[in-house]
């Protein structure tokens, strides 16, 4: 392992001990509500499935993620981690992780672009054998700048939709040189984390950041995928009038049949009290839309990157930009309208100053899947070819079973006759 020039979090803080104590307190609260990770802790501690592995991670470094990181270390791994967004790190949690003898954390909140990539490079100096990404920045850095590491990497895991899209594009170009599990796409993740997690935490963060209500407001949800569906449903549940914008005709129809108004952004923008983007795409809210918006509109993004709202065009139009509240920048237009951007257009539920990310229970599931995928790579990584792989179904089921048991929920099992019937083709009318 070579020494990195970029220092771990502890070198960035004045009172490291106080930060570690607070970070540890946050982790313990989260862990109390993470029965899946608790159950895996028992197994990982006794079986040490990750013995000899070095896990390199680029994730949102906050209390829930920290419990995943510690689980991997408990399983025998050496772990090096940094953030996957310049604003989503909780420095105290990062410091608590860095205090662990087998964990080094380079994640610091508020880094600039250069520092962000230097921190990724510092993680790569640990020469990971397994990578865990949220958005694919680490895998990209390995392939572009540090290809020499690929030979000893068994495989990787990717947490989010945007990362999986990027990986599939890379795979289509035959450019992905090691196997990666699309953790995002597995039912135990997408159907809960993207839908419920993003829906609840984005709206809660917007409400807390602005101290405003959704009731009677027009909330425009851009993108009716997994995240958009959750946001729309929960905003409607808080008595908002929900308008959906989409580019996929089937998703647009689905939103229409759910009872939401579906409009092009050019029309929706004029009606909006809040626009929340979650498309995973770029250039969704543009200059011509800003020109139509009402005074006081809130603009927020829950998609992975900060490219859904065109802040350059907004700034060009503004005569003044000022911080209206913590986490809210007001852009004043020449005609006096104020357009309010939350969390600099970065994913609001993680990057706003008071953001806590998804509810703990939801991340317990997502990170349970991550943990068993890392275990699978350590045990059987050689069985997977380079490219994007779906999470093996039995691993997803394993996490569901642990969660149901923790919740005290019993369910039926297929009988042998039923199993045979479902697998047969010769039982017609
Ligand atoms: P998805 O692929 O299920 O949905 C995206 C939807 O946006 C699709 O229906 C697509 O047709 C639509 N879309 C694309 N371009 C559009 C445009 N220009 N205008 C309107 N609609 C458009 O993806 P999913 O899982 O909902 O994720 C969306 C984004 O949220 C991704 O960037 C993902 O990484 C991110 N994400 C963020 C989380 C958070 O905590 N904030 C959690 C999970 C995912």
């Amino acid at each position: 392992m070579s020494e990195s020039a970029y220092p771990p979090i502890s070198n960035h803080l004045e009172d490291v001990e106080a930060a570690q104590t607070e970070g540890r307190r946050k982790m313990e609260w989260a862990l109390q509500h993470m029965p899946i990770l608790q159950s895996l802790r028992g197994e990982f501690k006794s079986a040490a499935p990750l013995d000899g592995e070095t896990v390199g991670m680029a994730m949102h470094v906050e209390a829930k993620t920290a419990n995943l990181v510690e689980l991997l270390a408990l399983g025998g791994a050496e772990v090096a981690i940094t953030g996957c967004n310049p604003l989503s790190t909780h420095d105290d949690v990062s410091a608590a992780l860095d205090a662990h003898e087998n964990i080094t954390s380079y994640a610091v909140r508020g880094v600039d672009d250069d520092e962000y990539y230097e921190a990724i490079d510092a993680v790569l100096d640990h020469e990971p054998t397994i990578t865990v990404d949220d958005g694919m920045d680490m895998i990209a850095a390995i392939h572009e700048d540090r290809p020499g590491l690929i030979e000893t990497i068994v495989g990787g895991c990717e947490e989010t939709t945007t990362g999986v899209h990027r990986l599939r594009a890379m795979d289509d170009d035959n450019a992905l040189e090691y196997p990666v599990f699309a953790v995002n796409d597995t039912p135990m993740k997408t159907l809960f984390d993207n839908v419920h997690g993003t829906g609840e935490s984005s709206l809660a963060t917007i409400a807390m950041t602005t101290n405003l209500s959704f009731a009677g407001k027009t909330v425009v949800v851009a993108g009716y995928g997994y995240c958009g569906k959750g946001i729309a449903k929960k905003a409607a549940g808080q008595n908002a009038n929900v308008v959906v914008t989409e580019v996929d005709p089937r998703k647009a129809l689905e939103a229409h049949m759910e009872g939401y108004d579906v409009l092009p952004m050019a029309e929706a923008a004029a009606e909006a009290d809040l626009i929340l983007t979650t498309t995973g795409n770029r250039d969704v809210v543009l200059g011509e839309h800003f020109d139509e918006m009402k005074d006081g509109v809130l603009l927020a993004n829950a998609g992975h990157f900060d490219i859904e709202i065109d802040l350059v065009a907004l700034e060009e139009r503004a005569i003044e930009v000022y911080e209206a509240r913590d986490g809210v920048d007001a852009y004043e237009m020449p005609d006096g309208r104020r357009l309010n951007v939350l969390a600099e257009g970065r994913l609001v539920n993680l990057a706003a100053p008071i953001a806590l990310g998804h509810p703990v229970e939801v991340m317990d599931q997502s990170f349970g899947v991550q943990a068993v995928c890392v275990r699978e790579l350590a045990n059987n990584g050689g069985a997977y070819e380079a490219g994007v792989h779906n999470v093996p179904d039995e691993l997803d089921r394993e996490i569901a079973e642990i969660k149901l048991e923790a919740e005290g929920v019993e369910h039926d099992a297929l009988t042998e006759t039923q199993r045979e019937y479902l697998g047969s083709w010769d039982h017609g009318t």
Side-chain angles (χ1 to χ4, degrees):
M1 183 191 304
S2 54
E3 269 304 302
S4 166
Y6 190 82
I9 174 84
S10 306
N11 298 49
H12 299 257
L13 300 176
E14 276 178 18
D15 191 344
V16 180
E17 246 176 68
Q20 286 168 354
T21 308
E22 183 54 19
R24 176 60 51 189
R25 203 162 73 105
K26 289 182 180 174
M27 284 171 66
E28 279 169 8
W29 169 259
L31 188 61
Q32 279 176 44
H33 304 275
M34 300 182 98
I36 299 169
L37 292 200
Q38 280 179 38
S39 163
L40 291 172
R41 277 170 81 95
E43 179 204 321
F44 274 43
K45 195 170 174 190
S46 57
L50 309 183
D51 226 359
E53 303 292 346
T54 300
V55 183
M57 305 175 78
M59 306 278 281
H60 301 291
V61 177
E62 46 73 69
K64 284 103 55 184
T65 315
N67 283 312
L68 169 66
V69 175
E70 211 164 67
L71 171 67
L72 301 180
L74 205 63
E78 192 76 39
V79 187
I81 184 166
T82 183
C84 64
N85 182 296
L87 288 183
S88 64
T89 296
H90 289 221
D91 286 346
D92 47 10
V93 172
S94 182
L97 279 179
D98 198 49
H100 191 292
E101 63 174 331
N102 294 329
I103 300 170
T104 313
S105 178
Y106 297 96
V108 182
R109 184 182 162 91
V111 288
D112 63 23
D113 271 10
D114 287 345
E115 291 165 326
Y116 178 81
Y117 287 105
E118 278 172 37
I120 289 183
D121 213 36
V123 169
L124 296 183
D125 285 344
H126 291 252
E127 299 175 1
T129 53
I130 293 172
T131 60
V132 182
D133 258 284
D134 187 325
M136 210 205 89
D137 283 347
M138 180 162 289
I139 292 180
I142 290 170
H143 284 73
E144 281 163 17
D145 307 324
R146 308 282 293 266
L149 295 173
I150 291 171
E151 204 183 318
T152 45
I153 294 180
V154 207
C157 300
E158 170 53 52
E159 170 81 8
T160 199
T161 312
T162 287
V164 171
H165 282 171
R166 293 177 78 192
L167 282 165
R168 291 201 193 281
M170 208 174 161
D171 201 6
D172 289 346
D173 287 347
N174 289 323
L176 180 58
E177 293 191 41
Y178 62 82
V180 182
F181 283 128
V183 170
N184 176 75
D185 294 356
T186 198
M188 280 298 286
K189 199 273 181 185
T190 330
L191 298 179
F192 302 90
D193 177 313
N194 301 35
V195 178
H196 295 283
T198 312
E200 284 184 29
S201 64
S202 300
L203 293 176
T205 307
I206 292 168
M208 293 295 292
T209 299
T210 60
N211 200 14
L212 297 173
S213 162
F214 298 109
K217 299 278 173 55
T218 296
V219 172
V220 174
V221 182
Y224 196 69
Y226 289 105
C227 295
K229 234 171 256 184
I231 293 166
K233 185 169 188 179
K234 287 162 202 283
Q238 295 190 52
N239 299 351
N241 308 311
V242 174
V243 175
V244 168
T245 72
E246 250 298 343
V247 290
D248 180 328
R250 294 151 306 176
K251 298 287 173 64
L253 186 57
E254 217 183 325
H256 171 71
M257 297 293 272
E258 280 297 320
Y260 305 124
D261 287 337
V262 178
L263 291 174
M265 182 57 82
E267 287 172 43
E271 295 184 12
D273 295 301
L274 161 66
I275 300 180
L276 182 49
T277 54
T278 181
T279 67
N281 203 347
R282 59 177 308 138
D283 306 335
V284 180
V285 184
L286 301 171
E288 65 259 34
H289 305 136
F290 299 132
D291 295 339
E292 303 303 321
M293 288 177 192
K294 296 194 284 197
D295 177 33
V297 68
L298 305 177
L299 303 172
N301 167 49
H304 190 77
F305 288 118
D306 59 343
I307 51 175
E308 306 212 9
I309 302 169
D310 186 354
L311 291 183
V312 176
L314 184 55
E315 187 145 17
E316 278 167 9
R317 282 167 165 72
I319 52 166
E320 197 190 344
V321 183
Y322 60 91
E323 194 180 38
R325 280 174 69 80
D326 217 13
V328 183
D329 291 324
Y331 290 71
E332 194 173 325
M333 299 293 113
D335 59 10
R337 289 174 305 132
R338 287 151 302 182
L339 278 44
N340 299 300
V341 175
L342 275 64
E344 301 173 19
R346 296 188 186 276
L347 69 189
V348 68
N349 58 328
L350 283 148
I354 53 119
L356 295 171
H358 286 3
V360 177
E361 300 91 328
V362 166
M363 292 319 294
D364 189 31
Q365 292 187 196
S366 303
F367 290 155
V369 179
Q370 283 283 8
V372 293
C373 284
V374 172
R375 186 189 66 194
E376 174 69 5
L377 288 170
N379 289 342
N380 300 313
Y384 298 90
E385 286 178 6
V388 179
H389 293 263
N390 291 330
V391 173
D393 202 46
E394 64 274 16
L395 297 184
D396 202 51
R397 280 170 178 271
E398 177 185 342
I399 298 304
E401 295 289 1
I402 299 176
K403 176 75 175 180
L404 285 172
E405 199 182 324
E407 297 278 307
V409 177
E410 291 184 36
H411 65 101
D412 290 326
L414 287 173
T415 63
E416 212 33 61
T417 317
Q418 287 171 332
R419 195 183 305 280
E420 251 173 53
Y421 173 74
L422 291 175
S424 67
W425 55 269
D426 53 351
H427 292 286
T429 41

